[in-house]
Amino acid sequence: MTKRINTKFAKLVKYYSLINHHLILNNKSINRYKNKDLLFKGNKDVQLNKLKKAIEKIKGCKLKKNATNLVFSDGNKESKIMIVGEGPGANEDKEGLPFVGRAGQLLDKMLLSISLDRRNVYITNVVNYRPPENRRPTDEEIARYLPYLTKHIEIINPKILVLLGSTALNTIIGNLEVISKARGKWIKKNIGKCSTLIIASFHPAFLMRQPDQKKMAWIDLKMIREKIKELKIKIEK
Ligand code: URA
């Protein structure tokens, strides 16, 4: 029993040291740009281009070696609603765009159910290259891409940040709660210079496997719709 707890604890310590837990689990601004390469200047377009270039320059990453394309983002960079998934799949890798496969089609339907589409939101992933066999990115891979994701969020500066699935949840919030408990709750958080309201929900790929959970995702979608109203976020049509 004690041995089991110790192993679990050791794994937890390793995970949190990899993902800089102290920067994530408190509510102070996250400032993790020890890497001077991520101190960008200029307008959104310039900064996003620089971020993309910085990701292209990542060295020694197996994900990158095995992937065809960098999957950076899709949607409207001016949007106040940002969505973070896990990582590209085969279709995304082929097209260089996030959420274009079956999970993406479901995401489109989910957005449509609250009168949104890709032109109204900004979409990215925790990792920007496809993990082989669509496996979950490892803690090490997540830790490697975290500074880039943080910078990405800071540049887009969303008022609402939607985390789809446990990988996005654990990366940004930590893994104190499982997705089924953490979903459907608003959390206010500072990420770099971005102060945002975060909500986690189920990943569309999970919803395809567990369609009975769609009713919970619908609750989350309605919460997002209400928050858009409350914050008077303008949706450009
Ligand atoms: N799943 C994700 O998490 N992201 C994608 O881009 C596609 C599928």
Side-chain angles (χ1 to χ4, degrees), residues 57-68:
K57 277 196 212 149
I58 291 176
K59 292 215 169 68
C61 172
K62 272 202 191 138
L63 292 184
K64 191 175 169 184
K65 270 187 208 133
N66 289 314
T68 310

Side-chain angles (χ1 to χ4, degrees), residues 84-231:
V84 181
E86 179 177 295
N91 293 298
E92 289 75 19
D93 181 46
K94 208 159 120 198
E95 292 194 31
L97 286 170
F99 283 101
V100 290
R102 281 179 64 226
Q105 284 163 21
L106 180 54
L107 177 61
D108 286 341
K109 283 188 192 156
M110 291 161 73
L111 291 173
L112 199 61
S113 72
I114 52 167
S115 311
L116 295 175
D117 66 38
R118 271 170 201 254
R119 290 164 300 177
N120 316 131
V121 297
Y122 187 86
I123 308 173
T124 191
N125 281 307
V126 169
V127 296
N128 302 102
Y129 292 99
R130 180 192 181 202
E133 269 85 59
N134 298 341
R135 63 160 170 77
R136 185 185 183 276
T138 63
D139 292 345
E140 201 181 339
E141 287 158 356
I142 292 171
R144 178 176 287 130
Y145 285 84
L146 184 57
Y148 303 95
L149 174 63
T150 307
K151 188 70 198 180
H152 213 153
I153 296 169
E154 196 182 44
I155 297 170
I156 298 301
N157 195 22
K159 289 204 164 106
I160 293 176
L161 182 65
V162 183
L163 307 177
L164 292 179
S166 54
T167 302
L169 169 74
N170 296 345
T171 303
I172 300 291
I173 306 289
N175 61 356
L176 296 178
E177 261 190 336
V178 290
I179 184 81
S180 53
K181 290 260 159 57
R183 53 147 287 279
K185 294 176 193 164
W186 290 108
I187 305 165
K188 193 153 176 57
K189 194 160 185 61
N190 297 332
I191 301 178
K193 289 181 198 129
C194 168
S195 174
T196 189
L197 276 170
I198 302 179
I199 189 166
S201 190
F202 289 127
H203 193 287
F206 169 80
L207 294 173
M208 290 189 313
R209 295 191 302 271
Q210 305 269 335
D212 56 313
Q213 294 300 314
K214 283 186 182 169
K215 56 182 180 295
M216 308 313 282
W218 175 231
I219 295 174
D220 305 340
L221 286 165
K222 283 192 288 185
M223 286 178 71
I224 296 168
R225 186 172 65 187
E226 285 312 305
K227 194 56 82 181
I228 291 171
K229 266 195 217 149
E230 188 188 317
L231 299 180

